[in-house]
Amino acid sequence: MANISLQNISKAFDYKPILKDISLHIHQGERVAIIGKNGAGKSTLLKILNGELEADYGKRILEGDLEIQMLAQKPNFQEGSTTKESVLQALTTLNQAKQSLEQIAKSLQNAPYDKELLKKHSKLSNFIEHHNAWDLENKIQQILETFDLKELENQKVEYLSGGEQKRVALACLLLIKPDILLLDEPTNHLDVEMVEFLENLLLKEKYTLVFISHDRYFIDKIATRIIEVEDCKIREFNGGYGDYLKAKEALLKSLSKSHQTLLKHLRMEEEWLARGVKARVKRNEGRKERILKLREEAKKNPSLIKKMSLELEREHKHFNQLEGTNHKKMLFELENISMQMGNKILFKNFSTRILNTDKVAIVGKNGVGKSTFLKLLLGRAQNYYGTLQKGGF
Ligand SMILES: Nc1ncnc2c1ncn2[C@@H]1O[C@H](COP(=O)(O)OP(=O)(O)O)[C@@H](O)[C@H]1O
Ligand SMILES: [Mg+2]
């Protein structure tokens, strides 16, 4: 089985460390989600996996003859190609394989026991089988239709919107079906139906995937493992998003527990120190130094624990809210929306989701911002902070 590994990878940009001494291993058949805050280094990690970006230190190891391809956060296209041409270009190898297979099949009619021909035939069949390309034409149509690309077939890709370009790139990669597919935020420009189609395709056709996503539901449905990038390090969790949250919960508990142990230990050491220590004894000096370190840690821990538990609480809320929705079509998703009119703050870090068939009443005193809220949903408000996503409708 072919695999890819990173060994002790470090990477910095302009002396700012992004990744420090990271090792990971991706097996065929896995679907690994990379999560983390903006700027944590997720895309950097994916580019290093893809081989397009070189690490400052460490090794990238490919086992076997692997084809790896990546959907970039902002894909690049050859200038001048239309959507249709781009798709056909992506499929050159597969189409060639199918043509060769046809020819070999014809030749085999005349020489049914030719060993060379039989060998080639089986190799090509396996290749096509592996890429699930027997019914390529049907798959092309299905993907173009679902991703709303049919009407863009003859348009030049360079003039399409960012979201449309990303859908074209994703369509090409899904059709190519490389041995390892790397996707940088694939669902960002997809509506609910497109995401559902993507999920089913990835699962049904058993793609090997490493993907970056902020979409908790997508992660939970797809991922067999989660890698979190934080403070230049990675932490790995088995399973989907629900499992990740449970593991984080356990981590938080053990952190709190070891903090309590540390406090107890520190208290004893402080008592020892208060009893008066003979100076200049080397052993005592060392013990004093360790006490200073313990004090530092004891000071740092509470804010770390608090930050982690707040983050976790927020994640739980989002995720449970999401699970309760039964995957109803999402119409609006607001995250940390803030808006101000003159000196008046209308919304401050307001987050909510509005789903299809929801009936939402907006109540409040005159002038608090009810109509402004509706304008926001209609896309007629510009001066807000935060993210507002609209589902496909
Ligand atoms: N080519 C580059 N040159 C300089 N800085 C970069 C480059 N690429 C990324 N960075 C910086 O490295 C950090 C991590 O970026 P990135 O991997 O894109 O994060 P993420 O994908 O997690 O949001 C960011 O601070 C970003 O500005
Ligand atoms: Mg990124």
Side-chain angles (χ1 to χ4, degrees):
M1 266 304 182
N3 300 304
I4 180 166
S5 319
L6 299 182
Q7 274 181 6
N8 308 103
I9 290 284
S10 295
K11 179 81 196 168
F13 285 119
D14 310 321
Y15 304 108
K16 185 181 151 208
I18 306 294
L19 303 171
K20 273 191 206 160
D21 200 23
I22 281 176
S23 298
L24 59 86
H25 195 79
I26 311 287
H27 305 265
Q28 284 283 288
E30 277 194 297
R31 294 183 300 273
V32 181
I34 300 182
I35 63 171
K37 298 210 171 71
N38 280 334
K42 302 180 297 297
S43 295
T44 303
L45 184 60
L46 208 63
K47 284 177 197 161
I48 292 175
L49 266 176
N50 193 34
E52 66 179 80
L53 184 70
E54 214 172 318
D56 302 332
Y57 299 97
K59 264 201 246 171
R60 170 179 180 267
I61 300 165
L62 293 184
E63 289 169 28
D65 190 12
L66 273 189
E67 188 191 10
I68 300 176
Q69 296 225 29
M70 170 160 159
L71 173 74
Q73 208 163 356
K74 292 199 177 83
N76 276 324
F77 283 94
Q78 211 178 327
E79 258 175 58
S81 299
T82 63
T83 301
K84 198 171 182 177
E85 284 162 357
S86 301
V87 172
L88 285 177
Q89 206 168 19
L91 292 172
T92 313
T93 317
L94 276 178
N95 276 324
Q96 276 170 356
K98 288 183 83 171
Q99 274 167 17
S100 308
L101 188 74
E102 251 172 58
Q103 273 169 5
I104 290 171
K106 262 189 210 147
S107 312
L108 273 172
Q109 282 175 352
N110 300 325
Y113 301 109
D114 186 317
K115 273 202 182 127
E116 260 324 290
L117 282 179
L118 282 170
K119 215 161 108 188
K120 272 190 198 158
H121 189 274
S122 121
K123 203 172 155 199
L124 280 169
S125 305
N126 284 339
F127 180 78
I128 294 165
E129 176 76 35
H130 179 67
H131 288 86
N132 212 335
W134 292 115
D135 199 4
L136 202 51
E137 203 40 53
N138 191 16
K139 201 166 152 187
I140 295 175
Q141 292 314 318
Q142 216 186 349
I143 288 181
L144 289 183
E145 246 160 59
T146 316
F147 284 167
D148 279 345
L149 297 174
K150 282 299 274 178
E151 55 266 43
L152 306 175
E153 256 183 0
N154 297 315
Q155 292 193 31
K156 295 228 163 84
V157 183
E158 59 201 279
Y159 299 131
L160 299 182
S161 74
E164 288 164 344
Q165 287 191 2
K166 197 148 179 190
R167 294 209 299 275
V168 175
L170 182 60
C172 291
L173 289 173
L174 290 172
L175 288 166
I176 293 170
K177 197 178 179 225
D179 299 319
I180 296 184
L181 182 54
L182 309 176
L183 302 174
D184 198 339
E185 309 202 10
T187 62
N188 269 11
H189 297 279
L190 305 184
D191 67 24
V192 179
E193 273 93 29
M194 294 177 194
V195 173
E196 235 166 79
F197 171 81
L198 178 66
E199 287 170 353
N200 291 334
L201 185 70
L202 293 173
L203 295 176
K204 199 178 90 207
E205 298 202 0
K206 299 191 171 31
Y207 287 70
T208 300
L209 269 191
V210 184
F211 66 100
I212 296 172
S213 181
H214 295 285
D215 182 335
R216 300 169 183 89
Y217 187 86
F218 183 72
I219 296 171
D220 198 52
K221 184 121 191 241
I222 298 294
T224 53
R225 183 151 63 103
I226 291 180
I227 293 180
E228 186 176 38
V229 186
E230 195 181 36
D231 299 330
C232 305
K233 290 283 182 194
I234 60 167
R235 228 189 244 140
E236 305 195 46
F237 303 89
N238 280 326
Y241 207 75
D243 302 306
Y244 158 77
L245 289 182
K246 271 186 214 131
K248 282 284 263 206
E249 197 86 58
L251 202 67
L252 183 64
K253 265 202 190 120
S254 93
L255 199 64
S256 308
K257 211 170 146 195
S258 61
H259 178 62
Q260 293 309 321
T261 315
L262 184 140
L263 285 183
K264 221 191 267 171
H265 181 51
L266 183 62
R267 217 173 299 134
M268 271 159 44
E269 290 298 278
E270 296 283 16
E271 276 167 22
W272 170 76
L273 200 62
R275 283 202 293 272
V277 183
K278 273 197 207 112
R280 305 263 168 247
V281 179
K282 225 182 185 164
R283 188 159 44 96
N284 287 346
E285 285 303 312
R287 194 164 166 184
K288 268 167 83 177
E289 249 169 55
R290 280 196 297 279
I291 293 178
L292 291 183
K293 277 204 190 113
L294 285 177
R295 280 184 191 155
E296 283 286 305
E297 233 180 292
K299 233 194 298 180
K300 259 193 332 215
N301 277 344
S303 63
L304 189 75
I305 290 171
K306 188 161 176 215
K307 180 172 149 254
M308 224 171 127
S309 80
L310 278 176
E311 275 173 10
L312 200 58
E313 199 181 310
R314 203 188 60 208
E315 287 300 314
H316 267 301
K317 218 165 91 190
H318 269 299
F319 194 64
N320 292 338
Q321 195 184 5
L322 212 58
E323 279 194 313
T325 63
N326 248 336
H327 210 24
K328 270 198 291 186
K329 184 165 168 163
M330 206 253 297
L331 301 180
F332 300 97
E333 180 173 24
L334 282 67
E335 214 170 334
N336 289 322
I337 293 284
S338 300
M339 196 167 169
Q340 198 164 343
M341 288 274 192
N343 286 331
K344 191 169 176 182
I345 296 171
L346 298 183
F347 317 114
K348 199 168 166 188
N349 292 329
F350 177 57
S351 302
T352 191
R353 284 159 186 267
I354 299 177
L355 304 168
N356 198 18
T357 71
D358 276 358
K359 293 166 196 69
V360 182
I362 302 171
V363 297
K365 292 201 181 83
N366 280 336
V368 290
K370 302 184 296 296
S371 305
T372 309
F373 181 69
L374 289 182
K375 276 185 199 149
L376 186 77
L377 295 184
L378 284 167
R380 291 200 198 133
Q382 251 88 47
N383 49 340
Y384 64 87
Y385 297 93
T387 47
L388 168 65
Q389 284 195 53
K390 290 188 190 182
F393 56 84

